[in-house]
Amino acid sequence: MNEKAPILELQDVRFRWPGRVVFEMSVPDFSVAPGETVLLLGESGSGKSTLLSLICGTVLAQAGRVSVAGTALDELSGGKRDRFRGEHVGVVFQQFNLLPFGSVLENIRLPLRFAPERRARVADEAQEAARLCNALGLPEAVLGSRAAALSVGQQQRVAVARALIGQPPILLADEPTSALDEESQSAFLDLMFKQVRASGATLLMVSHDPRLSTRFDRVVRMSDIAHVERQAA
Amino acid sequence: MILRLAIASLFARALTVGMTVLAIGLSVMLFLGVEKVRTGAKASFADTISGTDLIVGARSGSVQLLLYSVFRIGNATNNVTWQSYQDIAAWPEVEWIVPISLGDSHRQFRVMGTTPAFFERYKYRRDRGLSVADGVLMDDLFDAVIGADVANALGYRVDDPIVVAHGLASFLHHDDQPFRVAGILEKTGTPVDRTVIVSLAAIEAIHVDWKSGARAPGAGTPEEVIRQMDLTPNAITAALVGVESPIQIFGLQRAINEYSEEPLLAILPGVALQELWAIVGVAETALLAVSAMVVVTALIGMMATIFSSLNERRREMAIFRAMGARPRVIVAMLVLEAVLTAALGGALGLGLLYFGLIVAQPIVDSAFGLWLPIEAPALRELWVLIGVIVAGAVVSLVPALRAYRLSLADGMMVRT
């Protein structure tokens, strides 16, 4: 892979959610370099989540090009896109990241079930999960407990461990700190950044909170890269 | 791990899943139970008389002969003369022969005259014989042995006097010759339970003073005189026959059917029972259909449960999708869940069935004379279970396909 080539690239993208409310978004040009940490700032409704869905390939743009790690997503079939996402992208949601009925270890190992290449990079899944938990400030005993028994802050860290296991090149985080209080926000970000840098992953995080800006290589406003049009159907 | 997660997911919703499992379990139990009762009733019916090779009566229809001779339903069109009876009894193929004489009643129950050999030769449920629950078999001319239902319905005990009416549902009572209850038989679940059994001679004795269905004028013949009389009957209603060797059954049947002295009919009880069941057994199919509908209802209940769980589980599906699971993994998980639920329900149903059988078997046997055998699940029952599981999978496809569409449309960013 060419080092200079962006790991994420959206060009002349136009997307429209089917049905219900008319929501149209266009992204003329947006790209992220490998290893970069980017904060995408935007209010709710600015199309942040839609952008993430496009990058994940769970939805396809009607026009334009979305390429991830040098692969144009629209050239892949649905099943291949799902597999591609599993291999290349780790995701942390705002909250409710984990399967509440599974153990922490099961939750962390879950993406490896769908991503054989990531699985191959991990020699011992339980050991790697324990290492990540440890690095993210979680007690090792937490691995065996049910995910639902954890505090929200702990759940978010487990979600980061899950997103990073097997070293996918890209980490997408959708407001991962908004459910946390200010103190734990900062501690959480410290730990997440440390692990992102350690794994060499590219981080794209969306948030509405400009105070987080200082930690990132680059801050992009949603309104600068995307044009959104919505109207009631 | 996916299987373990699916099971964990089911456990997390233990209450609703438990209700669904219970509903399926009960419906499966009902279905298998009906099936058991159905086959049990059929077997019980077929076992009403066994060990008897031929039933001989006046020429009529085979079902009719079976109905009046074994089930005491309806009447004989004609009698068999005593000469014919003795003639046949003397044939070398005949190992044993038991005459029965019908036509009188006691209250709502039929009276049957026969010989003591009846108690030895009449078998039901393959090799079960009649036995006395209380008292003894008749040894006096005016002794009667009554079936369990007769004793129960009329509150009779041993040594109670009973009066036999001439004809059926008649008001003419044979007051002169009161009988005594000598013994009460064990419950058998056969028409014997509803029969008053007396000796052949007793039937004759009742009719000493009767001519052409009306009482002869003049004083009744005293008991002592009757006891001195020759009470050999002129005719009997039918006879149960056992042959020396099974290969002689058809030959003997033909010989009796072609008997030149008198038009007679010999039937194989098993064959006639099957003919009769073909008439009676129509209701069983309806019953089975109804219980099958109950199973279908339970499965549709499961479908509704899965449907209503979809909304709260969109988050769960979005997580799987974000991890790289294809939409068909979501479908597979929902179908797997339904299969597990249906399998649990089926297993529960089977468990409940056996529990119910163990509890109910003696009760059903003594109350209805219906023997429900407790056996390992037959191939047929396993097919029912497999059918329930497959139907569960098919039914779950409807919500699963909806989840498939939802997970495609949601992308992975579900608002919660």
Side-chain angles (χ1 to χ4, degrees), chain B residues 103-403:
Chain B
D104 288 297
S105 67
H106 174 71
R107 306 280 197 99
Q108 68 267 45
F109 300 105
R110 297 286 180 103
V111 174
M112 181 178 81
T114 185
T115 60
F118 178 80
F119 298 100
E120 187 192 326
R121 295 300 182 185
Y122 181 85
K123 301 275 188 237
Y124 65 101
R125 212 177 284 169
R126 276 180 283 288
D127 54 358
R128 289 217 190 180
L130 301 172
S131 58
V132 180
D134 197 9
V136 293
L137 294 179
M138 59 235 182
D139 56 3
D140 184 73
L141 180 61
F142 291 108
D143 274 357
V145 172
I146 61 177
D149 288 353
V150 179
N152 235 334
L154 304 177
Y156 285 159
R157 279 183 301 200
V158 171
D159 280 342
D160 282 355
I162 65 172
V163 166
V164 174
H166 180 55
L168 305 166
S170 158
F171 295 103
L172 301 167
H173 283 212
H174 299 229
D175 289 332
D176 317 322
Q177 280 82 36
F179 282 77
R180 181 187 75 98
V181 175
I184 298 170
L185 293 173
E186 295 268 15
K187 177 99 181 166
T188 62
T190 69
V192 171
D193 295 345
R194 298 184 299 277
T195 307
V196 175
I197 302 170
V198 297
S199 66
L200 265 188
I203 297 281
E204 288 307 306
I206 296 166
H207 300 102
V208 164
D209 289 330
W210 293 67
K211 294 274 180 315
S212 313
R215 192 166 181 163
T221 313
E223 197 183 313
E224 308 78 59
V225 179
I226 292 177
R227 285 185 186 279
Q228 304 302 317
M229 292 170 71
D230 172 22
L231 294 171
T232 306
N234 292 325
I236 56 168
T237 312
L240 310 179
V241 177
V243 297
E244 291 280 353
S245 153
I247 53 168
Q248 297 168 330
I249 292 176
F250 293 103
L252 183 60
Q253 184 186 22
R254 194 178 317 114
I256 292 170
N257 285 339
E258 290 167 358
Y259 187 65
S260 55
E261 304 299 316
E262 188 179 3
L264 294 178
L265 174 69
I267 59 166
L268 294 140
V271 174
L273 279 166
Q274 273 178 18
E275 282 176 37
L276 188 53
W277 183 257
I279 304 164
V280 178
V282 180
E284 63 171 351
T285 317
L287 200 58
L288 201 63
V290 169
S291 53
M293 287 312 290
V294 175
V295 176
V296 170
T297 310
L299 288 174
I300 289 174
M302 176 177 74
M303 178 167 83
T305 314
I306 297 176
F307 254 121
S308 67
S309 77
L310 280 189
N311 241 352
E312 60 188 82
R313 295 171 71 198
R314 275 168 101 161
R315 164 55 54 180
E316 184 184 321
M317 293 183 244
I319 292 169
F320 273 102
R321 293 280 288 135
M323 297 303 113
R326 297 178 188 199
R328 68 168 186 237
V329 172
I330 309 279
V331 172
M333 283 198 335
L334 287 173
V335 172
L336 175 69
E337 184 176 297
V339 164
L340 286 174
T341 308
L344 276 177
L348 177 70
L350 205 60
L352 286 173
L353 175 74
Y354 279 100
F355 178 74
L357 276 179
I358 289 166
V359 172
Q361 190 185 43
I363 302 167
V364 171
D365 188 26
S366 66
F368 305 108
L370 187 59
W371 182 249
L372 303 174
I374 299 178
E375 295 157 343
L379 200 60
R380 198 180 162 83
E381 274 135 15
L382 292 181
W383 274 116
V384 169
L385 291 187
I386 289 169
V388 167
I389 292 169
V390 169
V394 169
V395 156
S396 73
L397 275 178
V398 182
L401 289 177
R402 176 162 167 76

Side-chain angles (χ1 to χ4, degrees), chain A residues 17 49 52-53 56 58 79 82 85-86 91 93 95-99 101-102 106 109-111 113-114 162 174, chain B residues 1-2 4-5 8-9 12 315-316 319-327 329 408-413 415-416:
Chain A
W17 281 105
S49 296
L52 291 187
S53 289
C56 282
T58 47
D82 290 329
R85 169 174 64 255
V91 183
F93 296 113
Q95 55 177 325
F96 309 117
N97 266 289
L98 309 180
L99 299 174
F101 44 78
E106 280 168 335
R109 287 169 66 182
L110 186 59
R113 296 304 107 206
F114 304 104
R162 181 185 61 187
D174 184 7
Chain B
M1 187 166 89
I2 301 291
R4 219 204 72 75
L5 282 173
S9 169
R315 164 55 54 180
E316 184 184 321
I319 292 169
F320 273 102
R321 293 280 288 135
M323 297 303 113
R326 297 178 188 199
V329 172
L408 278 183
D410 279 349
M412 26 172 276
M413 311 301 167
R415 300 271 170 267
T416 40

Side-chain angles (χ1 to χ4, degrees), chain A residues 52-86:
Chain A
L52 291 187
S53 289
L54 281 168
I55 295 170
C56 282
T58 47
V59 294
L60 274 185
Q62 274 84 17
R65 201 177 114 92
V66 179
S67 75
V68 176
T71 303
L73 294 184
D74 60 335
E75 285 168 12
L76 299 176
S77 67
K80 286 213 172 98
R81 263 200 325 278
D82 290 329
R83 163 96 184 264
F84 185 84
R85 169 174 64 255

